[in-house]
Amino acid sequence: QKEVEQDPGPLSVPEGAIVSLNCTYSNSAFQYFMWYRQYSRKGPELLMYTYSSGNKEDGRFTAQVDKSSKYISLFIRDSQPSDSATYLCAMSEQGAQKLVFGQGTRLTINP
Amino acid sequence: ETGVTQSPTHLIKTRGQQVTLRCSSQSGHNTVSWYQQALGQGPQFIFQYYREEENGRGNFPPRFSGLQFPNYSSELNVNALELDDSALYLCASSFSGTGGNTIYFGEGSWLTVV
């Protein structure tokens, strides 16, 4: 079993829709939770960073962490074609710099 | 822009050869990590360097080695290349000691082994 599970998709939604992306994990020591966006043939770009449980909002993006369920989510409101990319969840333990990634979900927003 | 630069961007090598990939960290960052990302997969941690010493290693064989220089730039060396080494190699930099994990990636080096 992988430490971090993420549905690879692909996920295709119309422009303006609310997108929900999710990851589950098995390591209860994870304390830091991140979402990265990766455009085709580019490096991952840090979108959201959350410590422990709770919600964090940044513009159209909201990240949620539920440590009791070992479940994290990223919501994208008013989705745009430019949001089309692969979204990677990543996690790490306290004091560790190593990130453990999910497989990534490929998202397409259709105009 | 993350301030993390990698070179070369693309390269093709023959099985059995050796390759060196280079990374320049973001200014002020003292920690560099390397990741391997196979097609359709998430990045996998190779190793991390802090103060020029290896400071953690993932499940990769010893033919994957690295260096960190006093200016915090870094190299990834892979010996005896295998076809399965074909992947995007990502360098990530961060500042150890902030208590967080704000880690920034470069654009990567695409390695094809034939």
Side-chain angles (χ1 to χ4, degrees):
Chain A
Q1 183 187 5
K2 293 183 179 180
E3 276 190 290
V4 180
E5 298 278 359
Q6 183 176 10
D7 185 341
L11 180 62
S12 182
V13 301
E15 183 176 355
I18 297 175
V19 176
S20 173
L21 304 168
N22 312 293
C23 289
T24 59
Y25 62 94
S26 57
N27 185 352
S28 58
F30 286 145
Q31 294 283 350
Y32 297 94
F33 304 91
M34 285 136 280
W35 287 94
Y36 285 85
R37 177 173 63 194
Q38 186 173 30
Y39 291 113
S40 181
R41 305 187 72 81
K42 296 289 187 180
E45 171 195 7
L46 181 62
L47 269 181
M48 301 287 285
Y49 162 73
T50 308
Y51 172 69
S52 194
S53 285
N55 295 354
K56 186 171 184 178
E57 187 173 322
D58 184 1
R60 297 185 295 112
F61 298 89
T62 300
Q64 289 185 350
V65 175
D66 182 350
K67 291 189 68 181
S68 63
S69 301
K70 297 189 179 68
Y71 186 88
I72 71 170
S73 301
L74 177 70
F75 297 95
I76 308 174
R77 292 183 300 279
D78 187 25
S79 56
Q80 305 293 313
S82 58
D83 295 328
S84 298
T86 295
Y87 289 79
L88 296 155
C89 63
M91 311 174 188
S92 68
E93 298 180 18
Q94 178 79 33
Q97 296 274 341
K98 165 191 170 182
L99 295 181
V100 181
F101 282 86
Q103 184 176 351
T105 300
R106 187 170 178 180
L107 172 67
T108 300
I109 308 297
N110 300 302
Chain B
E1 296 294 327
T2 64
V4 181
T5 58
Q6 293 187 241
S7 63
T9 54
H10 297 82
L11 70 167
I12 300 173
K13 289 286 188 178
T14 303
R15 189 173 52 183
Q17 284 188 315
Q18 179 265 344
V19 68
T20 297
L21 307 177
R22 295 178 175 83
C23 173
S24 177
S25 301
Q26 183 178 105
S27 177
H29 284 183
N30 57 11
T31 302
V32 65
S33 302
W34 286 91
Y35 290 77
Q36 180 196 66
Q37 186 176 21
L39 204 59
Q41 301 296 317
Q44 298 289 316
F45 176 75
I46 302 175
F47 46 54
Q48 176 187 101
Y49 277 82
Y50 171 68
R51 292 186 175 178
E52 303 174 51
E53 297 281 336
E54 188 177 292
N55 182 36
R57 189 177 184 93
N59 188 26
F60 282 82
R63 59 189 185 84
F64 286 78
S65 63
L67 287 171
Q68 185 184 30
F69 300 100
N71 65 354
Y72 303 127
S73 65
S74 176
E75 286 182 356
L76 165 65
N77 298 289
V78 187
N79 294 321
L81 284 167
E82 301 176 0
L83 297 180
D84 284 348
D85 295 333
S86 295
L88 177 66
Y89 287 86
L90 295 162
C91 173
S93 79
S94 58
F95 181 75
S96 180
T98 60
N101 282 282
T102 310
I103 298 173
Y104 297 98
F105 286 84
E107 296 291 5
S109 294
W110 284 95
L111 171 64
T112 302
V113 182
V114 298

